[in-house]
Each structure stands twice: as structure tokens, then as C-alpha cells.
Amino acid sequence: MSTEKKRFVLLVDHDIYEKFKKLAEEQNRTAGNLGTKLVNDYVKEHSK
């Protein structure tokens, strides 16, 4: 698998972003880092 990472842009409403950012901070993560984790977990779970 390639080690090159691709940018993945999501457009969400402001209130959803603020709530997501707060959830990320509660886990000592950035919003981007939490988004990456969630996408990776989802793909792994649904690739079985």
C-alpha cells in the first residue's frame, strides 16, 4: 500500500463542526485526527 496520503475534504454545517471539534478535544485529538480515525475504522470494519 502506498505511503502517500490523500487529502479528504468534508463540508459540514457550522454547528456540527463545533460539536465534532468539542468531541475531538475531549479525546485530546484535533478534529482532523478524529476524522481520520473514524474513516479508517469505518473502512476497516466494512472491508471484512
Side-chain angles (χ1 to χ4, degrees):
M1 184 162 50
S2 173
T3 59
E4 180 182 342
K5 296 187 179 188
K6 300 292 183 185
R7 186 172 302 272
F8 186 54
V9 178
L10 299 171
L11 300 175
V12 296
D13 291 332
H14 178 75
D15 59 328
I16 295 295
Y17 176 75
E18 290 301 320
K19 290 175 184 178
F20 189 79
K21 191 170 135 181
K22 183 176 179 182
L23 291 169
E25 289 171 357
E26 290 172 0
Q27 297 181 26
N28 295 317
R29 297 177 179 274
T30 63
N33 179 265
L34 179 56
T36 298
K37 179 190 181 316
L38 293 174
V39 169
N40 286 337
D41 291 351
Y42 184 89
V43 170
K44 284 178 189 174
E45 181 65 27
H46 291 84
S47 295
K48 294 179 180 178

